[in-house]
Amino acid sequence: MAKLRLLLIPLFLLVLVPVGKAQFAHTDHKRIVDAAGRPLVTHATNLGNWLVPEGYMWLFEGGPQSPGEIRALVLELLGPEGSEAFWRKYRENYISHEDIALLHRAGFNAIRVPLHYSLFESDDTEGFKLLDRLIAWSRAEDVYVILDLHVAPGGQTGANIDDSAGYPWLYNSPEEQEHLIAVWRRLAKHYRDEATVLGYDLLNEPIPHFPRLAPLNSLLEPLYKRLSEEIRKIDANHILFLGGAQWDSNFSVFGKPFDTNVAYTFHKYWTAPDESVIRPYIDFREEYDVPIWMGESGENTDDWIAQFVKTLESNNIGWAFWPYKKMEKSSAVVSIVPPADWGKIVEFAKLPRGTAHVEERIKHRPEQETINRAFDELLGNIRFEKCRVNAGYLKALGMKSDVASY
């Protein structure tokens, strides 16, 4: 009988553990922990430029930058049918199981996935099909996935990264806030039982540093609270990541945490790589007994990245560097080789846009055969097997660098 009682004690203790925390990664005071309660420090990368294209990663400096501007250029060059087919193949091929396997071999344990709200406007959209496939690959490779709403309805920044109209209308538009809530409810319903999903990054880099936008700061945390309340009606399992104002840098907009499974995320670019630049976030962690997380950094030298990784890890801060893949430049895990005639596309992209400039654009438009060949080659070059692995970048992150092949 005594032996039976001893056997029943562990089962009784399991019953006392909340179901969500027994099955999902979650927060535990200042730490993020896995389902078993073991500390989980993320070593992650961002899948930028996949579902949210950005002009600089296409070498379009001085040209189109936002997803919408890039789509307009591709439509102009390839036409309605051609551009639709291009984007479908682009999203299909940009990230594959081989990409996630490479990250696993290198030592990454998580990926952050920038999302465009327009891909999740119903339950059966292309966005869910692509994301479901990615999560299945990540589950097979033992890699967590953080869902990042990079492009929110109405725009949370008004800049190119949120594909908006040039002003962050989200904070003053009840209609767009309801739209935002609907998107997150749909995502939460779809992934509430998926333990491979580490959490939800509710808004990427809200509110730029522009002085005239400072009055919007007071509207950010109330919006987060509304979002959290709606998500929690559906999903009590996943961590909610909250980014500060001014491009995820300003935590002074936050008061006492309003959710028991929440982490606060900051981004840091082009600063000193030492502890002084993250001290405010460490102090916030100590004051409120919550985890902090570095969701984006990079776009710098390998030496700078190595120093910043050391700073983050010496302060027990998980990270996700930006980006995984982009064209030509080596400041990424892998690089895409530009198509042979890509320079002609880049030069055309820099020309002034708008109907007032149609005659000039047509005059300088590359031959259609050249255009078609460049975009066809791009679709081939974005595939994993055609990309170049950057060993120096991986070493800077503290990852294994000799991982180019199986």
Side-chain angles (χ1 to χ4, degrees):
M1 191 66 181
K3 288 183 178 180
L4 179 60
R5 284 198 298 269
L6 289 173
L7 288 170
L8 288 174
I9 288 173
L11 294 174
F12 175 71
L13 291 174
L14 282 174
V15 171
L16 293 179
V17 177
V19 173
K21 290 193 175 184
Q23 298 175 351
F24 293 82
H26 55 277
T27 63
D28 181 9
H29 297 279
K30 298 180 183 68
R31 304 180 305 173
I32 293 175
V33 298
D34 66 14
R38 296 169 298 205
L40 173 60
V41 179
T42 62
H43 295 161
T45 187
N46 283 269
L47 302 189
N49 204 43
W50 176 35
L51 303 180
V52 183
E54 291 192 46
Y56 83 96
M57 288 193 268
W58 296 57
L59 308 183
F60 288 160
E61 287 85 352
Q65 294 300 306
S66 73
E69 290 170 344
I70 297 169
R71 286 195 302 271
L73 174 68
V74 175
L75 175 61
E76 180 182 5
L77 291 173
L78 296 181
E81 294 83 4
S83 62
E84 182 179 352
F86 169 81
W87 286 117
R88 186 172 60 252
K89 293 175 183 176
Y90 177 89
R91 290 189 289 264
E92 179 78 15
N93 296 334
Y94 196 86
I95 298 296
S96 67
H97 192 164
E98 288 81 0
D99 292 286
I100 307 307
L102 170 77
L103 292 172
H104 171 77
R105 294 196 304 275
F108 291 92
N109 61 5
I111 51 176
R112 179 173 178 259
V113 188
L115 306 177
H116 195 303
Y117 76 89
S118 66
L119 294 171
F120 302 93
E121 295 281 44
S122 68
D123 294 329
D124 60 351
T125 58
E126 179 194 9
F128 279 116
K129 294 180 176 68
L130 292 169
L131 204 48
D132 287 350
R133 187 179 65 166
L134 175 74
I135 290 171
W137 295 335
S138 300
R139 189 187 310 115
E141 301 297 336
D142 198 23
V143 171
Y144 285 104
V145 176
I146 297 100
L147 304 185
D148 151 46
L149 195 61
H150 223 71
V151 177
Q156 75 275 15
T157 76
N160 65 295
I161 57 173
D162 68 11
D163 205 18
S164 68
Y167 186 85
W169 279 110
L170 174 64
Y171 307 101
N172 289 303
S173 171
E175 181 177 341
E176 294 293 24
Q177 289 184 18
E178 291 302 322
H179 191 174
L180 172 66
I181 288 169
V183 170
W184 267 119
R185 284 178 60 91
R186 198 171 295 118
L187 285 163
K189 181 181 177 183
H190 197 92
Y191 295 113
R192 60 188 170 191
D193 298 321
E194 180 52 71
T196 300
V197 172
L198 180 65
Y200 306 143
D201 194 341
L202 299 186
L203 284 176
N204 176 67
E205 297 188 347
I207 311 174
H209 63 285
F210 314 141
R212 291 189 64 181
L213 296 181
L216 298 178
N217 284 1
S218 63
L219 304 179
L220 180 57
E221 189 173 53
L223 179 57
Y224 278 145
K225 288 180 179 178
R226 283 194 65 200
L227 275 174
S228 301
E229 289 169 0
E230 293 299 322
I231 290 171
R232 290 303 186 217
K233 291 176 183 178
I234 300 168
D235 182 350
N237 297 324
H238 287 101
I239 300 169
L240 304 182
F241 291 92
L242 308 182
Q246 284 69 65
W247 312 113
D248 273 8
S249 72
N250 177 9
F251 279 18
S252 70
V253 298
F254 295 126
K256 183 179 179 181
F258 53 83
D259 189 275
T260 58
N261 195 21
V262 65
Y264 292 80
T265 177
F266 65 91
H267 295 180
K268 195 60 63 178
Y269 289 97
W270 310 303
T271 66
D274 58 41
E275 188 176 311
S276 66
V277 301
I278 61 172
R279 174 47 57 183
Y281 314 119
I282 296 171
D283 292 343
F284 184 92
R285 176 175 67 184
E286 296 304 310
E287 179 179 0
Y288 290 114
D289 194 32
V290 290
I292 57 174
W293 184 60
M294 203 288 295
E296 278 187 33
S297 186
E299 300 295 6
N300 214 311
T301 65
D302 289 347
D303 181 62
W304 185 94
I305 289 171
Q307 291 181 60
F308 196 42
V309 167
K310 184 178 180 180
T311 297
L312 292 167
E313 296 192 345
S314 65
N315 286 282
N316 298 311
I317 299 172
W319 46 260
F321 273 77
W322 181 280
Y324 166 63
K325 178 187 291 188
K326 63 180 177 180
M327 192 178 290
E328 189 177 63
K329 311 298 184 184
S330 62
S331 50
V333 178
V334 300
S335 299
I336 301 164
V337 178
D341 289 316
W342 196 247
K344 296 178 181 179
I345 305 299
V346 169
E347 289 306 309
F348 180 76
K350 293 178 181 179
L351 295 175
R353 289 194 59 81
T355 54
H357 304 284
V358 167
E359 183 176 1
E360 189 70 10
R361 291 182 70 83
I362 290 177
K363 178 181 176 182
H364 290 93
R365 178 187 175 95
E367 294 296 326
Q368 194 63 47
E369 182 180 348
T370 300
I371 294 170
N372 294 345
R373 185 170 60 248
F375 279 91
D376 284 345
E377 190 175 341
L378 176 60
L379 289 175
N381 289 1
I382 62 175
R383 290 179 176 272
F384 171 79
E385 60 270 19
K386 292 289 190 72
C387 290
R388 182 183 70 245
V389 177
N390 295 310
Y393 183 84
L394 286 170
K395 287 179 181 177
L397 291 173
M399 301 288 102
K400 299 174 185 176
S401 58
D402 187 18
V403 292
S405 60
Y406 286 99

